[in-house]
Structures are given as C-alpha cells and as structure tokens.
Amino acid sequence: MGRNLYILAATLGILALVCGILSFTNIAQQPGSPGDIRLWRTMGLGLLVVALAVALGGILSSLFEQAERRDAEQRQQKRRHR
C-alpha cells in the first residue's frame, strides 16, 4: 500500500511542478491559453499540498506495516522459546 501512495505522490508532485513551470512561462500569458497565471499557481500549490499529504500517508502506512511485521516476529520468537 505504501508503494502505491509513493507513486501517487510522485505523480501529483510532477503535475504540480508542471503547473508551476507553466505559470512562469509565456504560455499562460498568451491570449486563448487555458486560465491565467493565478489559476496555474493555485493549481500547482494545491497539487503540491495534496502530494505532500499523500506522501505522509505512505510514510505512515509503511511505518505501521513495519511495526505489525515486527510484532508478529516477536510473538513467533516468544512461542519458540516456550
């Protein structure tokens, strides 16, 4: 589960980077282009915040999986020593 969240966070981060780059180029300032500079920057910041939240979820998911795995190993070791 954690790996999937990392992939999703990376994808959202790349999209946020593209939105940020578009806001600083002349593409967003040309007539007929989709949206304006503020829209691209807002979208980039929003995607970055979501990417960071998803990455945090991936980190926490990995930590909990590791804790569960270690707990199971310790229980098995206690059973073997008895």
Side-chain angles (χ1 to χ4, degrees), residues 15-62:
L15 289 174
L17 184 64
V18 168
C19 289
I21 290 171
L22 282 174
S23 72
F24 289 109
T25 61
N26 287 334
I27 295 172
Q29 298 170 356
Q30 298 296 324
S33 67
D36 56 30
I37 295 172
R38 285 179 274 150
L39 176 67
W40 286 108
R41 288 184 185 162
T42 304
M43 192 175 355
L45 286 174
L47 285 171
L48 181 64
V49 168
V50 172
L52 290 174
V54 170
L56 179 63
I59 291 169
L60 292 176
S61 173
S62 296

Side-chain angles (χ1 to χ4, degrees), residues 61-76:
S61 173
S62 296
L63 286 175
F64 286 129
E65 287 174 2
Q66 183 180 12
E68 288 177 6
R69 190 171 48 247
R70 286 186 180 178
D71 185 48
E73 289 174 0
Q74 286 178 355
R75 276 189 264 136
Q76 287 179 355

